[in-house]
Amino acid sequence: MYLFTRNTLVNWNIFCATAGMVKADIDTEKQQRLRTRLMDTLRSKGIQDTQVLNAIAKVPRHFFVGEEQQPYAYEDKPLPIGEGQTISQPYTVAYQTELLQVQPGQKVLEIGTGSGYQSAILASLGVHLYSLERQRKLFEKNESFAYLQSLPDVHFYYADGHHGLAEEAPFDRILLTAAARIIPGNLLEQLAPMGLLVAPVGGTEGQQMVRMHKSPDGSIQEELFDLFYFVPMLPGTQ
Ligand code: SAH
């Protein structure tokens, strides 16, 4: 318990570094309580899906942000994750996940791994997850992130999401976590019949959340939801 005092926390950091652990491997009761409170906040903001709320209560968001962001990990806010990118606001993660209506065993493609938090939320719902990231540094961070690597059936790729992932298509669900001006045709092609694609669509002034449903005959129906602010989906890799 003396870990909570300032000096011993520093010692614990040194111990963790020596032992090859990261401090973010630690999930305290306080952090678990903060997650339960975050889950209640999201419920009060309109998230209803119990599975999604439970996933928010289960996945340690503080594992996905840096040292300086630790005090804010359970606030309902986006936070910087380096490379000019952000971990989405928990409400946004819950909102998109609710719209995606995943079932265990489904094949899901995520565009924009970022911190990997949304990936972990989806993985906790029992899907086969394929997640693409265009920034090498973020991709490499996730490749060496023990918590993410310990999740069953999560596969990370360093790739431009505009192309999708043809070798694993079709996908039952596709989720874009970066804003697209238009939905890339490749992604719609790689969506399975009866599949759902959820994406923020629009420019820097804000994006409308869109859900696309592919009929068995291949035609697409579109539903429109609330306005959000995402980082843009950019071309190519870097
Ligand atoms: N799901 C993430 C959100 C990260 S922000 C999370 O939970 O943290 C969006 C991410 O999309 C950024 O990491 C950005 O680099 C990535 N991105 C933007 N354009 C992309 C593209 N064309 N292909 C793949 N990833 C992209």
Side-chain angles (χ1 to χ4, degrees), residues 196-209:
L196 296 175
L197 177 150
V198 171
V201 179
T204 46
E205 66 290 352
Q207 308 95 33
Q208 186 143 31
M209 195 65 76

Side-chain angles (χ1 to χ4, degrees), residues 76-131:
D76 188 22
K77 288 183 183 154
L79 296 170
I81 55 168
E83 314 311 314
Q85 304 304 318
T86 52
I87 178 172
S88 300
Q89 182 180 348
Y91 174 72
T92 308
V93 171
Y95 190 100
Q96 286 201 298
T97 311
E98 187 168 69
L99 284 183
L100 210 57
Q101 296 180 351
V102 296
Q103 306 292 331
Q106 283 183 333
K107 215 166 176 181
V108 180
L109 176 66
E110 177 191 24
I111 309 298
T113 317
S115 68
Y117 176 65
Q118 171 77 74
S119 315
I121 292 282
L122 289 167
S124 80
L125 295 171
V127 305
H128 306 290
L129 183 74
Y130 298 81
S131 185

Side-chain angles (χ1 to χ4, degrees), residues 64 79 81-88 93 96 110-119 131-135 138 157 159-163 175-179 230-237:
F64 297 83
L79 296 170
I81 55 168
E83 314 311 314
Q85 304 304 318
T86 52
I87 178 172
S88 300
V93 171
Q96 286 201 298
E110 177 191 24
I111 309 298
T113 317
S115 68
Y117 176 65
Q118 171 77 74
S119 315
S131 185
L132 313 188
E133 173 56 55
R134 68 177 288 280
Q135 291 214 41
L138 293 174
Y157 294 79
D160 174 4
H162 286 89
H163 306 296
L175 176 65
L176 279 72
T177 71
F230 282 75
V231 295
M233 183 171 177
L234 298 172
T237 51

Side-chain angles (χ1 to χ4, degrees), residues 43-198:
R43 192 189 281 115
S44 73
K45 289 184 176 178
I47 304 298
Q48 293 178 358
D49 188 322
T50 316
Q51 308 266 59
V52 175
L53 290 166
N54 288 343
I56 295 283
K58 184 170 154 195
V59 177
R61 189 171 186 252
H62 68 281
F63 284 12
F64 297 83
V65 297
E67 198 65 43
E68 61 291 357
Q69 304 300 334
Q70 290 296 313
Y72 318 109
Y74 293 106
E75 291 187 11
D76 188 22
K77 288 183 183 154
L79 296 170
I81 55 168
E83 314 311 314
Q85 304 304 318
T86 52
I87 178 172
S88 300
Q89 182 180 348
Y91 174 72
T92 308
V93 171
Y95 190 100
Q96 286 201 298
T97 311
E98 187 168 69
L99 284 183
L100 210 57
Q101 296 180 351
V102 296
Q103 306 292 331
Q106 283 183 333
K107 215 166 176 181
V108 180
L109 176 66
E110 177 191 24
I111 309 298
T113 317
S115 68
Y117 176 65
Q118 171 77 74
S119 315
I121 292 282
L122 289 167
S124 80
L125 295 171
V127 305
H128 306 290
L129 183 74
Y130 298 81
S131 185
L132 313 188
E133 173 56 55
R134 68 177 288 280
Q135 291 214 41
R136 183 180 283 283
K137 283 196 179 150
L138 293 174
F139 166 74
E140 284 175 351
K141 205 149 101 187
N142 288 327
E143 280 285 288
S144 60
F145 185 178
Y147 177 82
L148 278 179
Q149 296 303 322
S150 74
L151 298 173
D153 238 330
V154 179
H155 311 274
F156 295 110
Y157 294 79
Y158 171 52
D160 174 4
H162 286 89
H163 306 296
L165 190 62
E167 67 263 35
E168 291 293 342
F171 295 96
D172 302 301
R173 301 287 186 263
I174 298 180
L175 176 65
L176 279 72
T177 71
R181 285 191 180 269
I182 51 161
I183 304 295
N186 288 322
L187 298 183
L188 289 173
E189 271 170 34
Q190 293 174 24
L191 188 62
M194 302 303 287
L196 296 175
L197 177 150
V198 171

